[in-house]
Amino acid sequence: MSLKQDFKQLLKPYYIFNILLSLSYIICRKTPGICHYLFTAEECELDGRESEILFFLVIVIMIRSRKTGSVTMINYLSSSFIYTKIANLILWFYGDFIMGIIYTIVFILMGLLLPAPAYSGPDKVIYFRGPNSLEEELARDKYTIWVVAFYTVWNPACANFAPIFAKLSNDLCLDNLKFGKVDVGRYPEAGLKYHVNDSSLSKQLPTIIIFKDCKETDRRPLFDSKGKVTKFLFSDENIKAAFDLKNIYSDCKAKLKERKG
């Protein structure tokens, strides 16, 4: 996503309100008038404890953003919102208990009323309703290779991944190489069947699985020898390299020509 597209994305209500919630305490604490009214403080400056909380927040965001592989401004913001809002929640309760309760109510309402915006651009993706519809499609045509993404609508990493997967489908989709998605948040039985954890702390979201001859042949992210999920950056080039999609595409295209010939 280009910088211009990032700034266009920032104009959406989800990002505007989350940025305001993330900066609410600092803005109120540092603005004369508002600061004096809310905190009854002589000087509008952060005290030692507030500075410690904010410093800890910066460290956490940097570490978590590196682990999630955030590479654009939107990625960084999406992955950091939950931490900045929790830090603000702590700061508001520290500054004033009543304001902490008000912030908590606003926090919850915003989460319910303004979910992360879903990708709405062009794609060539088939959406499956649970494990049965995917299994039936795999069995229907054994000559087709499927690239299937398992995701949830509420996960920021999945939201950031959506335009990348859409672009892959637009670039590589063929009659015998198809792209699909399964919402394991809506269909948890699909997560169980294909071993994709859909919990809020899951490190498996999103997960891509390649199916050939009705069987899983590869997936990302993988598990290490200790059973822990290994880090994988879901960028366009990384996905193509990890699954050898360029060669798969070439082979599938050659097979289509043979059939037509």
Side-chain angles (χ1 to χ4, degrees):
M1 187 179 290
S2 67
L3 190 60
K4 183 178 180 181
Q5 288 175 313
D6 276 350
F7 279 113
K8 186 177 180 181
Q9 190 86 339
L10 286 178
L11 296 178
K12 294 184 177 181
Y14 169 82
Y15 292 101
I16 292 174
F17 283 104
N18 273 283
I19 289 172
L20 289 175
L21 283 177
S22 299
L23 298 176
S24 62
Y25 189 84
I26 293 179
I27 292 173
C28 292
R29 193 73 173 86
K30 300 287 287 184
T31 303
I34 297 177
C35 169
H36 296 144
Y37 177 75
L38 292 178
F39 302 100
T40 62
E42 294 182 3
E43 296 184 1
C44 295
E45 298 292 337
L46 298 173
D47 64 23
R49 180 59 59 84
E50 292 167 331
S51 298
E52 287 176 4
I53 293 172
L54 289 174
F55 180 74
F56 180 73
L57 170 64
V58 171
I59 299 299
V60 169
I61 290 174
M62 289 176 64
I63 293 173
R64 295 301 302 174
S65 295
R66 286 176 63 86
K67 286 186 176 181
T68 55
S70 301
V71 293
T72 68
M73 177 173 62
I74 291 296
N75 293 157
Y76 274 114
L77 285 174
S78 298
S79 62
S80 66
F81 278 149
I82 185 63
Y83 305 108
T84 57
K85 288 186 290 186
I86 289 174
N88 272 265
L89 184 64
I90 295 170
L91 287 167
W92 277 114
F93 272 110
Y94 174 76
D96 184 90
F97 184 78
I98 300 301
M99 289 302 299
I101 293 175
I102 294 173
Y103 185 87
T104 301
I105 295 171
V106 175
F107 186 160
I108 294 171
L109 287 176
M110 293 301 296
L112 294 173
L113 300 177
L114 278 179
Y119 174 76
S120 58
D123 64 36
K124 294 180 181 178
V125 176
I126 295 174
Y127 290 82
F128 295 105
R129 297 182 177 180
N132 293 334
S133 61
L134 172 56
E135 192 172 8
E136 289 169 3
E137 184 60 35
L138 292 174
R140 190 181 66 82
D141 184 2
K142 296 182 179 180
Y143 296 101
T144 296
I145 295 174
W146 280 91
V147 183
V148 182
F150 294 80
Y151 73 105
T152 64
V153 295
W154 48 261
N155 186 280
C158 293
N160 295 333
F161 170 65
I164 296 171
F165 195 72
K167 183 178 183 300
L168 285 170
S169 72
N170 288 326
D171 293 344
L172 303 175
C173 186
L174 296 168
D175 289 342
N176 56 351
L177 175 59
K178 297 182 179 180
F179 291 75
K181 294 184 82 170
V182 180
D183 184 349
V184 292
R186 186 175 182 183
Y187 305 106
E189 64 276 13
L192 289 173
K193 181 176 178 62
Y194 295 104
H195 310 290
V196 178
N197 187 340
D198 66 337
S199 72
S200 58
L201 298 176
S202 175
K203 296 180 180 180
Q204 286 184 268
L205 296 173
T207 287
I208 295 180
I209 300 179
I210 302 290
F211 294 95
K212 296 180 183 179
D213 298 324
C214 301
K215 298 178 182 178
E216 175 184 333
T217 59
D218 202 358
R219 72 160 61 200
R220 293 294 186 281
L222 296 168
F223 292 89
D224 62 20
S225 58
K226 297 181 180 179
K228 294 183 179 180
V229 180
T230 59
K231 178 182 175 182
F232 182 77
L233 175 58
F234 284 93
S235 66
D236 182 90
E237 289 303 318
N238 278 3
I239 295 169
K240 288 178 180 177
F243 296 109
D244 198 22
L245 284 181
K246 291 182 179 179
N247 285 329
I248 291 176
Y249 175 80
S250 298
D251 291 342
C252 288
K253 197 169 184 178
K255 289 178 181 178
L256 283 177
K257 288 183 179 180
E258 288 178 6
R259 288 184 188 179
K260 291 178 181 179

